């Protein structure tokens, strides 16, 4: 998308991530950590090495799918391996990385004439069927409303006279089914790998720097003590050293 159409849609997305909605998402995230802890406990008890990136990727996929798109993927329970595979394909396939560079450098109208694809047709069809079946059809038929990103994107497929574009002068034109699928996919792709990689690198640095790990553990214990030892949205917001660790700016 380009120009006004892109701006219209982009302006709608921040409403899915207000503080109130982030607090609701936090509850979902907290519940999902129980399954992650169970998975890690198996390795801890048997003193067995594990591929932490793999575990974090499953954890991230489940959270993003549930919080933003309203889909229960259960990849941490080793279900939906196909979804996890297609989610990684965008980043693991070097040809697609090459394609992404082409998108940046060549005008879109030329790419259209060449019938250019960023992803394989099979990948496109998989996500098209997933988002159409699980999100659009299920929610419309059952009138499910969660106030999440999926609801916002669904709303964009319909024309509402009171829903103005960014100029405020005229109603927004609805997006088509391909564009609906693209909006869901681009959010999933953008948040899945970035979030799992950030967590993986943060854990790696903490393992390499035990004094930083101990400093972080101390902060977490002290902050949780002020919140009845419960992990809450407000408690995490108080963990300033944790924020630095995630952002990659922590010091010994």
């Amino acid at each position: 998308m380009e120009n006004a159409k892109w701006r219209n849609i982009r302006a709608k997305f921040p409403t899915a991530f207000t503080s109130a909605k982030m607090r609701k998402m936090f509850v979902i995230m907290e519940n999902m950590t129980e399954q992650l802890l169970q998975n890690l406990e198996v390795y801890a008890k048997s003193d067995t090495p594990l591929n932490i990136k793999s575990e974090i990727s499953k954890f991230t996929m489940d959270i993003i799918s549930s919080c933003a798109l309203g889909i229960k993927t259960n990849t941490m329970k080793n279900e939906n391996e196909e979804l996890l595979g297609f989610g990684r394909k965008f980043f693991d396939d070097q040809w697609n990385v090459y394609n992404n560079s082409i998108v940046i450098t060549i005008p879109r109208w030329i790419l259209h004439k060449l019938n250019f694809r960023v992803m394989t047709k099979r990948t496109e069809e998989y996500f098209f069927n997933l988002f159409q079946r699980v999100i659009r059809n299920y929610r419309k038929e059952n009138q499910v409303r969660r106030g999440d990103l999926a609801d916002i994107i669904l709303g964009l497929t319909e024309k509402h006279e009171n829903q103005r574009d960014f100029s405020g002068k005229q109603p927004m034109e609805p997006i088509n089914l391909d564009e609906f699928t693209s909006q869901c996919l681009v959010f999933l792709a953008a948040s899945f790998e970035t979030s799992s990689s950030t967590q993986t690198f943060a854990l790696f640095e903490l393992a390499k720097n035990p004094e930083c790990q101990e400093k972080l553990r101390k902060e977490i214990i002290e902050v949780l003590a002020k919140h009845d030892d419960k992990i809450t949205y407000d408690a995490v917001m108080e963990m300033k050293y944790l924020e630095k660790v995630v952002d990659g700016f922590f010091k010994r």
Side-chain angles (χ1 to χ4, degrees), residues 65-77:
S65 299
S66 182
C67 289
L69 303 175
I71 304 173
K72 284 189 176 182
T73 50
N74 292 325
T75 57
M76 282 191 290
K77 294 182 179 180

Side-chain angles (χ1 to χ4, degrees), residues 10-55:
R10 183 63 181 83
K12 298 295 179 182
F13 281 9
T15 59
F17 302 100
T18 62
S19 293
K21 289 180 180 177
M22 290 297 290
R23 289 174 185 275
K24 291 181 180 179
M25 292 182 190
F26 190 88
V27 175
I28 298 174
M29 293 169 60
E30 184 187 7
N31 292 336
M32 288 188 173
T33 59
E34 293 299 322
Q35 184 62 52
L36 176 64
L37 289 173
Q38 289 178 27
N39 290 2
L40 298 180
E41 189 73 17
V42 174
Y43 293 98
K45 287 183 176 180
S46 61
D47 197 24
T48 305
L50 75 154
N51 183 337
I52 191 64
K53 177 63 186 299
S54 176
E55 294 297 327

Side-chain angles (χ1 to χ4, degrees), residues 148-162:
D148 55 10
L149 185 70
D151 275 351
I152 292 174
I153 300 176
L154 274 173
L156 295 173
T157 64
E158 303 169 348
K159 189 167 185 176
H160 303 279
E161 290 299 323
N162 62 345

Side-chain angles (χ1 to χ4, degrees), residues 134-177:
V134 178
I135 297 180
R136 189 172 184 275
N137 296 342
Y138 174 77
R139 289 204 178 191
K140 287 215 168 196
E141 290 172 4
N142 295 278
Q143 297 184 327
V144 176
R145 299 286 297 179
R146 298 175 79 243
D148 55 10
L149 185 70
D151 275 351
I152 292 174
I153 300 176
L154 274 173
L156 295 173
T157 64
E158 303 169 348
K159 189 167 185 176
H160 303 279
E161 290 299 323
N162 62 345
Q163 189 176 60
R164 300 286 166 171
D165 63 10
F166 70 92
S167 69
K169 297 178 180 179
Q170 58 188 14
M172 280 184 59
E173 287 300 316
I175 60 176
N176 60 39
L177 295 185

Side-chain angles (χ1 to χ4, degrees), residues 100-117:
N100 292 338
S101 301
I102 292 178
V103 171
I104 297 172
T105 57
I106 298 178
R108 193 164 64 115
W109 66 270
I110 296 178
L111 298 178
H112 274 304
K113 283 186 174 295
L114 296 174
N115 196 27
F116 175 82
R117 292 178 182 275

